[in-house]
C-alpha cells in the first residue's frame, strides 16, 4: 500500500497528489555564517523516526499542510494547517 | 581498521586493502547479513555512460575492474556483457543522448549515438512507435554495459578478503563511535568495543545516523527505490534497455525473468514497504516501448533505501573528522561502482592521500560550490 496523507481539507489522499517540502533546520552548534549557509543549502537531518515536514496538495486544494511522520514506517502521526 | 557495513562497497574496500596494500587487520561489521541491504536489492546493471567527465572516468574504471573480477577472485559472478541501449522519446532526451555519446567517447567509455532503425536491430522486441504515444527518436548504445549477479559479487569480495585474514562479523551492529578529542579512534558494537586507526562508513541507507555519531553532517536524504521481476520469458532479451525520459530500465536475468526498476519514492523514508502504485506507473511506461511484456506477470517486488545526494553523484573520502571516512551518496547507482569505489577507498585509507580519481567526489565539494551535477545519468528521476 502506498502512503496516504490525511489532508485537513480533502481527507485521505494518495501521496502522488502531494509535493514534499522539507523544513530546513541548521543546528545551533554551527555558528560560522558561511557554514550555516552551506548547511542550509545542502545538509539534511534525515532522521530515522518522527519528522515534521510540509506537503503541498498540488492536485487537490493547493494548500500547504504540516505533517508529522515516522520515517521508519511511513506512519502518519498527524497533520494540521498550523506551523510547527 | 574498521569498515561499517558489509555490503558491496564495504567488502570491496576490505578486499582491496588486503590484496593491494597488504592490510589484513580489518574488521567488516554488518548489522544483518552480508549483502542484506542495497547490494541485494539493486537491478545489477554495470555501465559507465555518465554525463560528466569525472564520473565517466570513475565508472569506466569500475566497469573494467568488473570485467576482470572473475579472473581475479576466481569466483563466478555471472558477469555478462550485454550492451545498454538508452532510448530517447523526446527532442530534449535525444539531445541528452547525443551529448552523452560525445562525453563518453571523449573520456574513455564506448557509447554510440544510434538511429531508431539501429535501436530496433539492437533490440528486436522494441516497439518503435512507443504505443503511438512515445515514438523512439533515437538513443545511445553503450557497448560495455553489463550485468552481474549481485550477491555473488558480494560473496566474491567477502571470500577474497576473508581468505587473506580480514574478519567479517555478521549480526554485529555499531552502537557508537569511540573518540579522543575530535578524533575517531574506534567503534562500540553489540559485540564489544573495537579500536581502530580508521573507521570507514560504508553503510547504505542509515549513513546519516552513523555520521551524526562522529559529528558529521551529510547532504543525504534517504529515499526508497522499488523494483520488480516478472515471470520467465524466453531467453531472447539480450540487451539492457532503458529510457531516461520514461524513467525505467530493464534487463533479463539468467533465469529469464524481466527485471525492471524505475524512479525513487518522492518522500524521504527508511521504510522497505513496496506499493501497487509504483508497479502500475512503472509497468505502464515500460509497456509503451515493450508491448511483449503485456503477457508477463509480476513475480516479486521489493524496495531498498537509497542515500540520495543533492547532485546525484557519490560522496567518497575524508569527512573533516580525523580517523573517520565515508563512502556514501550511492543513491540509485551504487552497484556498478563497487569495485572502483572499494579500490579507491582502500587506497585512501591505506596511504592517507586522496586518489586523483575520487578527489572530485569529496564531501567538501558542497562548501566549495563544486557540485558534480549529473542527474540525467541516474536514470531514476
Amino acid at each position: 500500500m502506498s502512503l496516504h496523507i490525511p489532508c485537513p481539507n480533502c481527507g485521505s489522499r494518495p501521496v502522488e497528489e502531494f509535493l514534499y517540502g522539507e523544513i530546513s533546520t541548521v543546528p545551533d552548534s554551527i555558528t560560522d555564517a558561511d557554514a550555516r549557509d552551506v548547511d542550509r543549502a545542502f545538509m539534511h537531518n534525515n532522521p530515522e523516526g518522527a519528522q515534521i515536514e510540509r506537503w503541498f496538495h498540488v492536485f487537490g486544494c493547493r494548500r500547504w499542510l504540516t505533517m508529522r511522520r515516522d520515517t521508519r514506517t511511513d506512519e502518519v502521526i498527524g497533520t494540521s494547517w498550523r506551523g510547527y | 581498521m574498521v569498515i561499517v557495513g558489509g555490503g558491496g562497497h564495504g567488502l570491496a574496500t576490505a578486499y582491496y586493502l588486503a590484496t593491494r596494500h597488504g592490510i589484513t587487520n580489518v574488521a567488516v561489521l554488518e548489522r544483518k547479513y552480508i549483502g542484506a541491504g542495497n547490494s541485494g536489492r539493486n537491478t545489477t546493471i554495470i555501465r559507465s555512460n555518465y554525463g560528466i567527465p569525472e564520473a565517466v572516468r570513475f565508472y569506466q574504471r569500475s566497469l573494467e575492474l568488473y570485467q576482470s573480477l572473475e579472473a581475479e577472485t576466481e569466483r563466478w559472478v555471472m558477469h555478462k556483457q550485454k550492451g545498454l541501449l538508452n532510448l530517447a522519446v523526446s527532442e530534449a532526451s535525444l539531445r541528452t543522448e547525443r551529448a552523452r555519446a560525445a562525453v563518453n567517447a571523449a573520456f574513455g567509455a564506448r557509447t554510440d549515438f544510434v538511429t531508431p532503425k539501429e535501436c530496433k536491430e539492437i533490440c528486436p522486441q522494441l516497439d518503435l512507435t512507443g504505443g503511438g504515444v512515445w515514438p523512439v527518436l533515437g538513443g545511445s548504445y553503450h557497448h560495455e554495459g553489463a550485468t552481474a549477479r549481485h550477491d555473488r559479487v558480494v560473496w566474491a569480495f567477502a571470500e577474497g578478503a576473508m581468505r587473506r585474514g580480514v574478519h567479517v562479523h555478521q549480526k554485529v551492529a555499531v552502537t557508537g563511535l569511540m573518540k579522543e578529542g575530535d578524533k575517531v579512534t574506534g567503534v562500540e558494537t553489540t559485540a564489544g568495543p573495537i579500536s581502530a586507526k580508521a573507521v570507514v562508513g560504508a553503510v547504505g541507507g542509515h549513513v546519516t545516523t552513523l555520521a551524526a555519531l562522529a559529528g558529521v553532517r551529510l547532504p543525504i536524504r534517504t529515499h526508497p527505490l522499488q523494483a520488480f521481476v516478472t515471470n520467465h520469458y524466453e531467453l531472447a532479451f539480450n540487451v539492457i534497455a532503458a529510457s531516461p525520459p520514461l524513467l525505467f530500465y530493464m534487463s533479463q536475468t539468467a533465469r529469464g525473468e524481466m527485471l525492471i526498476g524505475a524512479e525513487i519514492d518522492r518522500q524521504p523514508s527508511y521504510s522497505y514497504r513496496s506499493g501497487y502504485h509504483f508497479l502500475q506507473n512503472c509497468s505502464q511506461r515500460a509497456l509503451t516501448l515493450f508491448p511483449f511484456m503485456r503477457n508477463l506477470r509480476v513475480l516479486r517486488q521489493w524496495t531498498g533505501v537509497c542515500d540520495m545526494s543533492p547532485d546525484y553523484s557519490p560522496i567518497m573520502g575524508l569527512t573533516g573528522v580525523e580517523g573517520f571516512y565515508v563512502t556514501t551518496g550511492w543513491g540509485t547507482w551504487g552497484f556498478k561502482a563497487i569495485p572502483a569505489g572499494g579500490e579507491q577507498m582502500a587506497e585512501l585509507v591505506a596511504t592517507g592521500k586522496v586518489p586523483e580519481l575520487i578527489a572530485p567526489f569529496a564531501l567538501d565539494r558542497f562548501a566549495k560550490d563544486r557540485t558534480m551535477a549529473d542527474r540525467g545519468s541516474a536514470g531514476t528521476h
Side-chain angles (χ1 to χ4, degrees):
Chain A
M1 199 189 84
S2 68
L3 180 63
H4 277 62
I5 293 178
C7 172
N9 188 61
C10 312
S12 179
R13 306 295 306 165
V15 67
E16 287 75 18
E17 292 187 4
F18 297 83
L19 283 181
Y20 172 78
E22 184 173 301
I23 298 168
S24 165
T25 46
V26 182
D28 292 340
S29 56
I30 303 174
T31 50
D32 177 69
D34 285 348
R36 286 189 72 83
D37 284 348
V38 170
D39 197 279
R40 186 177 299 281
F42 294 112
M43 304 302 166
H44 303 291
N45 293 329
N46 199 27
E48 288 184 56
Q51 165 169 277
I52 302 171
E53 57 202 18
R54 299 277 275 166
W55 288 85
F56 182 56
H57 198 180
V58 58
F59 298 118
C61 59
R62 300 193 63 80
R63 288 177 72 180
W64 283 94
L65 59 93
T66 305
M67 181 161 102
R68 255 174 96 88
R69 175 176 60 101
D70 190 327
T71 60
R72 289 166 301 191
T73 57
D74 271 348
E75 181 204 354
V76 177
I77 301 162
T79 52
S80 77
W81 290 133
R82 282 165 206 235
Y84 28 96
Chain B
M1 307 208 179
V2 165
I3 296 166
V4 188
H9 279 275
L11 291 163
T13 304
Y15 174 84
Y16 288 108
L17 274 171
T19 55
R20 302 294 195 270
H21 304 281
I23 298 171
T24 54
N25 190 12
V26 177
V28 180
L29 308 178
E30 169 55 49
R31 197 166 62 112
K32 294 179 184 165
Y33 55 91
I34 59 168
N38 294 339
S39 299
R41 295 165 189 274
N42 57 78
T43 48
T44 75
I45 295 169
I46 299 161
R47 62 183 174 92
S48 62
N49 59 345
Y50 275 68
I52 55 176
E54 296 85 349
V56 177
R57 275 196 216 109
F58 173 78
Y59 289 105
Q60 183 65 24
R61 172 71 187 154
S62 206
L63 182 147
E64 285 163 14
L65 284 171
Y66 259 123
Q67 287 170 343
S68 56
L69 190 62
E70 288 179 345
E72 187 184 325
T73 61
E74 296 173 340
R75 289 295 174 272
W76 184 45
V77 299
M78 300 170 75
H79 182 276
K80 194 174 176 195
Q81 188 166 313
K82 296 175 173 176
L84 187 150
L85 183 64
N86 261 354
L87 297 159
V89 295
S90 67
E91 288 291 342
S93 59
L94 196 64
R95 281 196 293 277
T96 305
E97 295 313 323
R98 197 191 297 270
R100 186 193 305 286
V103 170
N104 286 189
F107 293 96
R110 290 175 52 215
T111 307
D112 291 331
F113 186 66
V114 288
T115 63
K117 189 167 162 279
E118 288 167 315
C119 290
K120 182 81 180 167
E121 281 162 18
I122 293 164
C123 184
Q125 292 90 344
L126 175 65
D127 175 12
L128 282 178
T129 68
V133 183
W134 297 108
V136 175
L137 304 177
S140 72
Y141 182 62
H142 181 47
H143 294 266
E144 289 174 290
T147 59
R149 179 75 199 170
H150 46 38
D151 29 35
R152 281 180 181 270
V153 170
V154 171
W155 299 336
F157 279 121
E159 201 187 359
M162 288 169 81
R163 260 190 291 162
R164 289 165 179 88
V166 168
H167 290 256
V168 177
H169 299 281
Q170 302 184 95
K171 293 187 179 174
V172 172
V174 170
T175 53
L177 292 177
M178 299 195 295
K179 284 177 151 182
E180 262 172 43
D182 290 339
K183 196 174 156 189
V184 170
T185 55
V187 292
E188 308 273 359
T189 75
T190 49
I194 307 171
S195 59
K197 271 190 219 146
V199 175
V200 180
V203 176
H206 306 270
V207 68
T208 312
T209 311
L210 177 70
L213 296 173
V216 175
R217 299 264 292 164
L218 292 175
I220 295 289
R221 283 206 300 218
T222 301
H223 288 264
L225 176 70
Q226 304 185 37
F228 69 94
V229 289
T230 68
N231 62 349
H232 300 185
Y233 172 69
E234 61 172 323
L235 280 165
F237 199 86
N238 300 319
V239 69
I240 306 161
S243 180
L246 287 179
L247 280 175
F248 75 90
Y249 35 95
M250 54 187 261
S251 64
Q252 189 170 28
T253 69
R255 281 195 290 246
E257 302 155 340
M258 298 305 298
L259 169 58
I260 307 173
E263 79 273 29
I264 56 167
D265 289 3
R266 295 290 143 190
Q267 76 283 5
S269 173
Y270 292 88
S271 166
Y272 283 107
R273 189 177 293 179
S274 46
Y276 176 71
H277 209 277
F278 163 83
L279 211 53
Q280 193 182 27
N281 279 343
C282 176
S283 31
Q284 197 172 26
R285 292 193 303 258
L287 283 175
T288 57
L289 297 183
F290 297 99
F292 76 93
M293 290 201 298
R294 222 161 249 147
N295 300 322
L296 302 182
R297 285 151 200 267
V298 175
L299 206 61
R300 287 192 305 284
Q301 183 185 6
W302 66 92
T303 304
V305 292
C306 306
D307 304 313
M308 302 301 299
S309 57
D311 54 2
Y312 302 87
S313 289
I315 298 165
M316 283 177 275
L318 309 170
T319 59
V321 173
E322 202 182 324
F324 184 65
Y325 305 81
V326 287
T327 172
T328 184
W330 287 114
T332 60
W333 47 86
F335 177 75
K336 64 183 74 62
I338 285 173
E343 180 200 49
Q344 301 294 311
M345 283 304 291
E347 188 180 331
L348 167 64
V349 178
T351 64
K353 292 197 190 85
V354 180
E356 188 260 333
L357 201 59
I358 61 167
F361 299 108
L363 175 60
D364 64 4
R365 71 176 184 265
F366 298 98
K368 290 176 175 167
D369 202 13
R370 307 273 299 176
T371 55
M372 308 296 295
D374 199 9
R375 179 172 176 159
S377 300
T380 48
H381 296 88

